[in-house]
Amino acid sequence: MSNNLLVTILLSVLVYREATAATNRTFPDYFKFGIATASYQVEGAWNEDGKGENIWDHLCHTNPTFVDNGDNGDIACDSYHKYKEDVALLKDLGVDYYRFSLSWSRIIPLGLAGSPVNQAGIDYYKSLIQELGDNGIEPMVTIFHWDLPETLQEFGGFPNPELEEHFAYYARVVFENLGDSVTYWTTFNEPLQTCHQGYSTGTMAPGYKSSGLAEYKCAHTLIKAHAKAYHIYDEEFRPQQQGYVGIVADTTWFEPASDSDADQEAAERALQFNYGWYINAVVNGNYPAVMIERIDERSKQQGFETSRLPKFTEEEIEYIKGTHDYLAINAYTTVYAQAKEETDPTVVSYESDLNVDTFIDESWEQSASSWLRVVPWGLRNLLNWLSKTYNHPEIFVTENGVSDLGGLDDDRRINFYQEYLSNVLEAILDDGVNVTRYTAWSLMDNFEWARGYTEKFGMYSVNFDNPGRPRTPKASASYYAQVIASRCLVDTCE
Ligand code: GBH
């Protein structure tokens, strides 16, 4: 037998063991378990009780080939009408908190600063929060999870700096109306997806392809809008409401393809271009140095008078720095990152600004989502990277989950949660990473953006053919309930 083959076999045995052995230790007392959804993905009632149109309504209605099967979120899981049932499911799971988002155009139909507030929209969220409270479940509220009012898109959306004022107005309205019963706020969910998928790859609404250009302007405004909302909370609401405000960013874990300096740097650069783009800003006040250097330099080579990456003024840096009360991560998967030759310097794109090759190990389990391979150890590495990079903060895992094509006996989902949670626990107990919350995605099957209703992430199945949208627990719902009740991942706990 060749040495290479021997090594491969030994490695696969090790990887296999690592992938299947869940720890029998227990989660600390302070650790909280939750589960998440987002407004457009579950609410439906797209034009009821005064709700305005948003960019996903608009995209689905005007460009039905964008989403698989021409599906849309007009009804989705009908949570607008069925929120009491949703809360009953949450109660069955025994979660400490429910992470959900507000629909901006349900609350402010036109989205514009100074434009009318829709009382029915406010009332819906008050009722949901009340119902959660009555059942002992804490609300964790995301102010924006991708459903921008269409009117604001007509004004240019996020790349237009005015968006900051519109968002500030919206944030003040929600703090004012809902803040008495909310302790944890998130301004934006996954700004990377809003700006990169929305304005660069064009795979999310509004679907523009302006790589290396509009996406940087989008992020610039979004970060300033986040900071403004944070300061509004800090100055006008925190004294009475005593809550916490943060921003939720996501990244794939980029594992260096080798221990060469070049591959290590490539992986670090990819993390900075994905997660650091937003989080270095709210932590340290500016974009990661590697983004500034590379984009400034390439812009110059390309003959731009100023960098394609906009600049924060000194005042803005001071204003943005430290605008987060917790660090959050949405994490699903892993790729290998490898150094590559510098591409043609004339190419204007995010990908060539970043300049990293990625690949996967074909043996990693494939979920129903093309982008999502099951790589539990990647989450542990990512949590360690976050802790080290941002000076050992408190960390919330705000999304983690896996897709399949349906069915109630979702053993693969159970394995996913068992193995990923095992890595979270090892990060806490063995590596000293201060993770205090874990949020599963998602409570129920829902509108999975461009994939419509085909890819299912829920612990409850929803029958989308039945107008009543009945929910049925999957096996993973009982597993998660058991984990929460026992604070342990296996049957025989320590
Ligand atoms: C989360 O994003 C979202 O917050 C949530 O709304 C969503 O339902 C959940 O994931 C599951 O997808 O198809 O190749 O263009 C996770 C990060 C980044 C995953 C963009 C999907 C699209 C890759 N997402 N990615 S591709």
Side-chain angles (χ1 to χ4, degrees):
M1 193 186 312
S2 79
N3 275 348
N4 273 349
L5 187 56
L6 191 64
V7 168
T8 313
I9 291 173
L10 278 173
L11 269 178
S12 25
V13 170
L14 282 176
V15 170
Y16 180 74
R17 274 185 54 94
E18 191 175 64
T20 50
T23 174
N24 70 343
R25 291 175 290 171
T26 55
F27 283 86
D29 292 341
Y30 57 77
F31 193 86
K32 290 191 174 181
F33 293 94
I35 199 158
T37 63
S39 48
Y40 189 74
Q41 297 180 271
V42 301
E43 282 179 6
W46 81 277
N47 61 355
E48 273 180 61
D49 296 341
K51 176 179 162 295
E53 190 187 30
N54 65 45
I55 57 175
W56 277 94
D57 295 319
H58 188 81
L59 180 76
C60 294
H61 294 155
T62 58
N63 187 1
T65 57
F66 194 95
V67 175
D68 294 353
N69 300 321
D71 279 331
N72 59 53
D74 288 1
I75 303 173
C77 307
D78 201 22
S79 289
Y80 185 70
H81 298 110
K82 294 173 69 84
Y83 69 91
K84 288 197 179 172
E85 234 180 273
D86 293 348
V87 174
L89 306 182
L90 293 161
K91 178 130 184 148
D92 286 345
L93 287 174
V95 288
D96 297 298
Y97 62 95
Y98 179 40
R99 177 174 181 256
F100 63 94
S101 81
L102 308 176
S103 160
W104 190 338
S105 67
R106 195 180 290 294
I107 293 177
I108 304 169
L110 294 173
L112 291 161
S115 68
V117 173
N118 179 32
Q119 190 56 44
I122 300 279
D123 291 345
Y124 168 64
Y125 295 110
K126 278 196 169 158
S127 312
L128 169 59
I129 292 168
Q130 176 76 44
E131 186 72 12
L132 288 167
D134 291 350
N135 286 280
I137 300 163
E138 181 194 321
M140 182 171 188
V141 183
T142 303
I143 301 175
F144 180 80
H145 192 130
W146 308 356
D147 43 359
L148 188 74
E150 175 61 17
T151 309
L152 296 182
Q153 195 60 55
E154 286 161 9
F155 280 72
F158 281 92
N160 179 349
E162 278 178 20
L163 210 281
E164 180 184 345
E165 290 310 318
H166 304 314
F167 186 76
Y169 174 74
Y170 169 40
R172 187 180 274 110
V173 165
V174 303
F175 294 146
E176 216 159 64
N177 285 279
L178 307 172
D180 284 341
S181 19
V182 175
T183 306
Y184 282 93
W185 291 101
T186 296
T187 54
F188 291 98
N189 176 71
E190 299 188 358
L192 176 69
Q193 306 312 324
T194 296
C195 295
H196 186 64
Q197 305 264 329
Y199 291 91
S200 183
T201 62
T203 41
M204 293 277 181
Y208 287 107
K209 294 194 168 96
S210 175
S211 188
L213 294 164
E215 63 182 311
Y216 295 141
K217 291 235 178 215
C218 168
H220 205 64
T221 308
L222 188 151
I223 291 164
K224 290 203 274 185
H226 159 80
K228 187 155 202 148
Y230 183 93
H231 285 290
I232 287 172
Y233 189 79
D234 217 30
E235 284 149 29
E236 300 171 31
F237 300 95
R238 197 194 298 274
Q240 308 85 48
Q241 298 180 354
Q242 309 269 313
Y244 303 92
V245 179
I247 182 168
V248 164
D250 65 298
T251 184
T252 296
W253 168 247
F254 294 89
E255 178 76 13
S258 78
D259 45 19
S260 76
D261 287 352
D263 288 347
Q264 304 268 338
E265 268 165 39
E268 175 69 19
R269 189 158 71 248
L271 290 162
Q272 293 297 346
F273 266 74
N274 281 273
Y275 193 80
W277 184 2
Y278 301 92
I279 300 305
N280 198 70
V282 304
V283 173
N284 300 314
N286 208 343
Y287 300 114
V290 65
M291 281 189 86
I292 300 176
E293 279 158 26
R294 286 192 57 90
I295 302 169
D296 286 5
E297 175 58 28
R298 292 179 59 82
S299 302
K300 206 155 122 203
Q301 287 173 352
Q302 292 158 353
F304 286 83
E305 280 186 13
T306 55
S307 178
R308 289 181 280 105
L309 186 71
K311 302 280 173 209
F312 293 117
T313 64
E314 281 308 314
E315 256 167 86
E316 286 169 345
I317 289 173
E318 284 312 307
Y319 188 74
I320 295 165
K321 192 190 286 180
T323 52
H324 65 109
D325 299 323
Y326 57 85
L327 199 79
I329 180 73
N330 286 358
Y332 290 83
T333 196
T334 289
V335 297
Y336 282 112
Q338 194 170 37
K340 70 189 270 205
E341 291 295 308
E342 209 60 66
T343 42
D344 177 355
T346 62
V347 175
V348 173
S349 76
Y350 170 90
E351 284 68 25
S352 42
D353 289 338
L354 166 58
N355 200 49
V356 168
D357 265 336
T358 61
F359 62 95
I360 53 155
D361 180 336
E362 288 296 342
S363 75
W364 293 343
E365 181 185 331
Q366 176 70 58
S367 70
S369 306
S370 58
W371 55 274
L372 202 177
R373 295 272 176 159
V374 178
V375 193
W377 54 261
L379 180 55
R380 181 170 174 183
N381 288 1
L382 175 55
L383 291 170
N384 273 276
W385 180 84
L386 292 169
S387 189
K388 185 179 95 224
T389 305
Y390 300 103
N391 203 16
H392 311 292
E394 180 172 6
I395 299 174
F396 297 165
V397 175
T398 35
E399 279 180 34
N400 178 234
V402 70
S403 59
D404 60 22
L405 295 172
L408 300 179
D409 297 324
D410 55 344
D411 292 351
R412 287 172 64 184
R413 181 167 289 103
I414 294 178
N415 288 341
F416 177 97
Y417 282 114
Q418 187 175 54
E419 293 176 11
Y420 272 70
L421 273 163
S422 191
N423 278 276
V424 172
L425 193 47
E426 282 161 359
I428 298 170
L429 300 179
D430 300 333
D431 310 336
V433 178
N434 188 18
V435 186
T436 58
R437 287 183 177 226
Y438 175 88
T439 322
W441 181 274
S442 172
L443 175 61
M444 55 198 153
D445 295 343
N446 58 47
F447 180 79
E448 177 53 20
W449 309 110
R451 298 288 75 79
Y453 297 100
T454 59
E455 296 176 7
K456 300 177 189 299
F457 281 83
M459 288 192 189
Y460 288 82
S461 142
V462 176
N463 182 350
F464 294 102
D465 296 326
N466 182 326
R469 295 295 189 272
R471 287 98 158 104
T472 312
K474 303 181 189 177
S476 57
S478 346
Y479 176 70
Y480 197 43
Q482 178 199 314
V483 167
I484 296 171
S486 65
R487 312 189 69 75
C488 162
L489 302 167
V490 292
D491 289 333
T492 316
C493 303
E494 84 174 344

